[in-house]
Amino acid sequence: MPPALAADMSLEPMAEKSAGAFRTISEVSEELDVPQHVLRFWETRFGQIRPVKRAGGRRYYRPQDVELVAGIRQLLYVQRYTIAGAQRVLKENGIRFVQAVGRGEARAAEPRIQEVEDAPEATMQDLADTPDRAALRDVLDELQACRALLDALRRPYDRDV
């Protein structure tokens, strides 16, 4: 490296990009703590995410793309929406709303509780008494009985010690 260039380079990290700068997929991935493959997957599920692609398919995210991805991340990871639910929010409220969610300026309503197909009029108590829950209660009762037996077997040895 020429001495003139070496003198200009410092060991300090590069300065932050300006707010209007395009970002690579790796920068967006790091900034939002979302793996790159997830960002690529979201591009297939959310047609509104359209990063600029240069030669070789390299993606460059505009600031509005980053805000949209941040909003989708908020819906999926924080508010626990399904992909279909996040798509519905995007369709019903628009890109700007989801971008505002990504900036922390707005919050989407809580995800809808999906109705049970076989019992559309089921109450939460009805759902709590499903066969799976009853089976879990039976297993728990059996485990507690086993623990009581083990505790009873252990007691004579505890006295000898």
Side-chain angles (χ1 to χ4, degrees):
M1 177 179 298
L5 289 178
D8 288 342
M9 296 186 70
S10 65
L11 297 178
E12 296 177 21
M14 291 188 340
E16 292 275 328
K17 284 189 173 183
S18 69
F22 285 31
R23 288 176 168 63
T24 64
I25 192 169
S26 61
E27 291 170 330
V28 175
S29 171
E30 187 176 317
E31 181 180 330
L32 299 178
D33 194 28
V34 176
Q36 292 180 27
H37 68 273
V38 172
L39 293 174
R40 286 188 214 96
F41 172 73
W42 287 354
E43 287 178 31
T44 67
R45 296 296 182 246
F46 299 95
Q48 297 86 350
I49 302 173
R50 291 186 288 262
V52 176
K53 291 185 183 175
R54 298 288 183 207
R58 190 169 171 96
R59 291 166 169 80
Y60 290 95
Y61 288 80
R62 296 169 294 229
Q64 60 266 30
D65 295 325
V66 176
E67 289 175 351
L68 179 58
V69 171
I72 290 170
R73 180 193 182 283
Q74 179 76 15
L75 292 172
L76 296 174
Y77 289 3
V78 177
Q79 290 192 251
R80 310 302 295 168
Y81 272 86
T82 61
I83 288 181
Q87 289 169 333
R88 186 177 57 251
V89 168
L90 197 52
K91 181 179 179 185
E92 291 173 1
N93 298 298
I95 293 174
R96 290 186 184 187
F97 176 78
V98 176
Q99 289 171 332
V101 169
R103 291 188 304 268
E105 298 170 359
R107 182 166 172 84
E110 291 301 314
R112 299 178 193 163
I113 297 176
Q114 299 297 318
E115 292 182 352
V116 179
E117 288 183 32
D118 298 335
E121 298 162 14
T123 64
M124 290 307 285
Q125 184 60 40
D126 294 335
L127 293 174
D129 293 329
T130 61
D132 290 339
R133 191 166 182 94
L136 287 173
R137 270 195 221 110
D138 291 342
V139 169
L140 181 60
D141 291 342
E142 188 176 337
L143 286 171
Q144 288 173 334
C146 289
R147 183 176 184 178
L149 284 172
L150 288 171
D151 287 344
L153 290 172
R154 203 174 330 163
R155 285 189 194 117
Y157 298 110
D158 290 344
R159 283 185 232 133
D160 294 338
V161 175

